[in-house]
Amino acid sequence: MNKKEEIELALLYRKRNDLEKEIARVKAAHKRNEYAEVNTCQLFILEDRLRFVEKKIARMAKHG
């Protein structure tokens, strides 16, 4: 794995962590019934982005 790929992988890990934190925040808001702050569509979009990032990390780790 060259330097560029290592940087891309590190950025993907950071993005994954940020998405996990945001999903946790949205789920907590849903539990408190604060639907004015967040909506269900936002949660689905965040979870979809997280799946995409995890697939990309797995692909890079497999080929790197």
Side-chain angles (χ1 to χ4, degrees):
M1 200 180 290
N2 62 24
K3 186 74 170 172
K4 182 183 176 194
E5 291 171 339
E6 289 176 8
I7 292 171
E8 288 177 8
L9 191 58
L11 289 173
L12 286 172
Y13 280 125
R14 182 181 297 169
K15 177 106 177 146
R16 182 184 69 182
N17 290 339
D18 291 344
L19 285 170
E20 288 173 345
K21 287 178 188 176
E22 184 67 15
I23 288 170
R25 185 189 71 79
V26 170
K27 284 184 178 182
H30 274 277
K31 283 184 182 179
R32 294 187 306 266
N33 294 325
E34 295 175 357
Y35 296 108
E37 181 182 329
V38 296
N39 60 25
T40 307
C41 182
Q42 179 183 7
L43 180 61
F44 292 138
I45 290 169
L46 289 171
E47 288 176 340
D48 188 49
R49 285 182 186 163
L50 180 62
R51 278 192 298 277
F52 175 77
V53 169
E54 287 176 341
K55 284 181 187 177
K56 193 149 175 120
I57 289 171
R59 213 174 317 139
M60 286 186 75
K62 182 179 171 185
H63 294 291

